[in-house]
Amino acid sequence: MLRITDARTGESLEAAPARRGLTRVEAHTAGAGTGALRVLLVADLLVRALELGGTPVWSVLTCERDRAELQAGAAALGIRPFEDSRDVGSGLGEAQVIHVVTEGTATPDGPTVGVAPVHGTAEGADPIALRLALLARDRAAPAALDPAVLDEARATLARWRGRVAAWARQPSRPIPDQARTRLRTAWEDDLDVPAVLDTLTWVETSPDLPDGARFETYAYADRLLGLELTRDLGTPA
C-alpha cells in the first residue's frame, strides 16, 4: 500500500485509503520554471504509483500562469497530461484528494505532498536526462542542476538503454522476487525514487541474475520512472 508523508502534519498516511476508490491528484504551480516541472513530475510519479497499485486516478493541474509553456515542458519530460482545473469540478466521488505543491507555498486543505525547489539551469539539456536528474534526488531535498549532474544523468540513461536493448536479445526470465520486493517497497514508502534507482543499479551489477530477468525488471520499473528505457530495442548490437 502506497503511503505518503503529509506536508501539513509530517504524518504518514495511505495515498488510497478506500480500496479501488478514485483518488484525485492535483498539482499546483505558479509558473513554468524547472521548479514547477518538478512539481508536475512528482505528481506524475504519484499517479503512476497509484495506478500500478490498481487505484483509479484523476489528475488535475492548477496553474496560475504560463500554462501553455508549462504543459509543453511537461510533455517533453514524459509527464502525462493533466486536466485543466478550470474545466473540471469536484463531485466525482473521490475517496481522496492529494495536492502536490512547492514547499513553502500555501497549503491547500487535504493531504499534501511537498516538493523542494530546483537550483541551477537545465537549458539545452536532454529532457529525459533532466527527468532522471530530478528523479535521482529525494523530492524533499533541493535539486541542484549543473552540467556535471546532467552529464551524469545522460550517461546513465544511455548506458541503461544500451544494456536493456542487449538484455532483450536473451530469453525472458521472471522478475526476481527480491528485485520486485525492493522496487515496490521503495516506491510505496513515500515515493522513494532514489531507492528505486539504487535497486536498478543492483540489478545491473548483480552477477547472479540472468539477462532476461534484468530486462523484465527494468521494463517493469520504467512503468513508474518513465525514462523510455526500452527505447533502443531492436537497434543493431
Side-chain angles (χ1 to χ4, degrees), residues 58-188:
W58 182 27
S59 53
V60 177
L61 170 62
T62 296
C63 181
E64 295 180 8
R65 62 181 186 274
D66 302 327
R67 181 180 300 271
E69 183 181 350
L70 177 63
Q71 290 173 328
L77 260 65
I79 296 170
R80 294 180 294 183
F82 282 60
E83 293 190 57
D84 190 332
S85 63
R86 299 173 300 182
D87 299 332
V88 299
S90 59
L92 291 186
E94 305 103 321
Q96 174 113 288
V97 180
I98 303 174
H99 303 276
V100 184
V101 304
T102 301
E103 288 183 350
T105 59
T107 303
D109 292 334
T112 302
V113 173
V115 181
V118 178
H119 303 299
T121 180
E123 185 175 354
D126 172 75
I128 305 303
L130 172 59
R131 182 181 178 106
L132 176 55
L134 293 173
L135 291 177
R137 187 72 169 164
D138 187 287
R139 70 166 189 275
L145 299 178
D146 58 36
V149 168
L150 294 169
D151 284 347
E152 180 181 2
R154 184 167 54 249
T156 298
L157 194 60
R159 186 181 77 249
W160 280 353
R161 285 173 173 170
R163 292 186 176 175
V164 166
W167 296 333
R169 300 185 186 101
Q170 303 303 315
S172 178
R173 292 290 185 270
I175 299 172
D177 289 342
Q178 185 179 0
R180 186 186 295 273
T181 298
R182 285 180 60 165
L183 289 171
R184 294 299 296 247
T185 298
W187 79 55
E188 290 181 353

Side-chain angles (χ1 to χ4, degrees), residues 189-212:
D189 181 15
D190 201 27
L191 289 176
D192 188 356
V193 180
V196 171
L197 298 174
D198 287 344
T199 299
L200 291 187
T201 298
W202 170 76
V203 169
E204 177 187 16
T205 57
S206 179
D208 300 325
L209 296 181
D211 286 349

